[in-house]
Amino acid sequence: EDFAERHGYIKGVIKEIIHDPGRGAPLAVVHFRDPYRYKTRKQNFLAVEGMYTGQFIYCGKKATLQIGNVLPVGAMPEGTIVCNIEEQHGDRGTLARTSGNYATVIGHNTDTKKTRVKLPSGAKKVVSSSNRAMVGIVAGGGRIDKPILKAGRAYHKYKAKRNCWPKVRGVAMNPVEHPHGGGNHQHIGKASTVKRGTPAGRKVGLIAARRTGRIRGGKVEIKGDD
């Protein structure tokens, strides 16, 4: 982030929208002119729904509130739908980044220069108002509406991501391999909740669970916590 972004804006153009292996959302390749030396800077952005090639994108404090533009959350009105928010100022976006996800700007506190956002999980978070975010929702939404249906599709999906499939249950293992292993029937044999300070290796199951069991009834909205 440079002077132009902090005080004005900088213009880029979307050259192409590409698929990124192992990621559900597409990426947009954006070309910026370097403000300080004669060259073109290429950046990969998370594509926002409604982006197209040839579109101009504006990044900075003075950028307008349009789909795909990047501006500080403090410059956005309440109720703005944003994605790819910075958690710390200048970290280039960490929150609400998966396909179809978005966060909502709830309110600003001008005295402390903080802004409240509602994250996709439903949690509300206070971030610095100078943190940047992208206007719109991440493209590639509705990805999880289609059932995977067969093991081969899951195999290829996780093959591109990382080695985390298939998952063997701990109960099905031997005692040497897992704290839940062994026994003449498949049973855990002790409470599946473990405390936060449990040593690594024993820390399996429901870690530092505040509650267990099915969630019955909806979420209770706490009054005064808007």
Side-chain angles (χ1 to χ4, degrees), residues 128-181:
S128 166
S129 295
S130 60
N131 291 7
R132 294 166 294 170
M134 213 160 177
V135 184
I137 74 172
V138 188
R143 179 167 50 88
I144 48 177
D145 298 347
K146 183 181 179 185
I148 291 181
L149 285 179
K150 54 185 203 170
R153 293 203 183 131
Y155 167 79
H156 287 298
K157 173 184 171 181
Y158 290 109
K159 185 161 165 275
K161 289 178 182 288
R162 67 201 78 82
N163 177 20
C164 62
W165 187 91
K167 271 226 188 341
V168 180
R169 293 165 301 133
V171 161
M173 300 181 190
N174 297 320
V176 68
E177 289 143 2
H178 198 277
H180 294 169

Side-chain angles (χ1 to χ4, degrees), residues 13-18 27-32 41-45 47 51 53:
V13 59
I14 301 178
K15 283 295 182 188
E16 57 179 339
I17 290 173
I18 55 175
L27 295 182
V29 180
V30 185
H31 286 196
F32 291 96
R41 295 273 182 209
K42 303 182 181 70
Q43 297 290 344
N44 284 351
F45 279 50
M51 270 185 177
T53 51

Side-chain angles (χ1 to χ4, degrees), residues 18-163:
I18 55 175
H19 165 72
D20 187 20
R23 189 196 294 265
L27 295 182
V29 180
V30 185
H31 286 196
F32 291 96
R33 280 185 47 216
D34 190 306
Y36 303 113
R37 39 187 72 78
Y38 178 69
K39 54 167 64 169
T40 306
R41 295 273 182 209
K42 303 182 181 70
Q43 297 290 344
N44 284 351
F45 279 50
L46 274 179
V48 171
E49 205 165 288
M51 270 185 177
Y52 52 91
T53 51
Q55 179 186 354
F56 287 122
I57 279 195
Y58 299 93
C59 305
K61 189 173 152 203
K62 298 271 168 60
T64 53
L65 197 73
Q66 273 162 336
I67 297 285
N69 285 0
V70 179
L71 50 157
V73 284
M76 299 177 181
E78 292 163 15
T80 308
I81 302 289
V82 293
C83 61
N84 201 4
I85 309 169
E86 295 183 326
E87 199 167 2
Q88 303 294 330
H89 175 67
D91 69 12
R92 308 180 73 167
T94 55
L95 307 172
R97 291 166 54 98
T98 56
S99 53
N101 258 0
Y102 63 89
T104 313
V105 178
I106 300 175
H108 304 291
N109 188 337
T110 47
D111 306 336
T112 55
K113 292 205 168 62
K114 296 264 192 272
T115 299
R116 294 193 68 179
V117 290
K118 185 166 186 244
L119 300 178
S121 63
K124 301 190 173 76
K125 188 172 177 69
V126 178
V127 296
S128 166
S129 295
S130 60
N131 291 7
R132 294 166 294 170
M134 213 160 177
V135 184
I137 74 172
V138 188
R143 179 167 50 88
I144 48 177
D145 298 347
K146 183 181 179 185
I148 291 181
L149 285 179
K150 54 185 203 170
R153 293 203 183 131
Y155 167 79
H156 287 298
K157 173 184 171 181
Y158 290 109
K159 185 161 165 275
K161 289 178 182 288
R162 67 201 78 82
N163 177 20

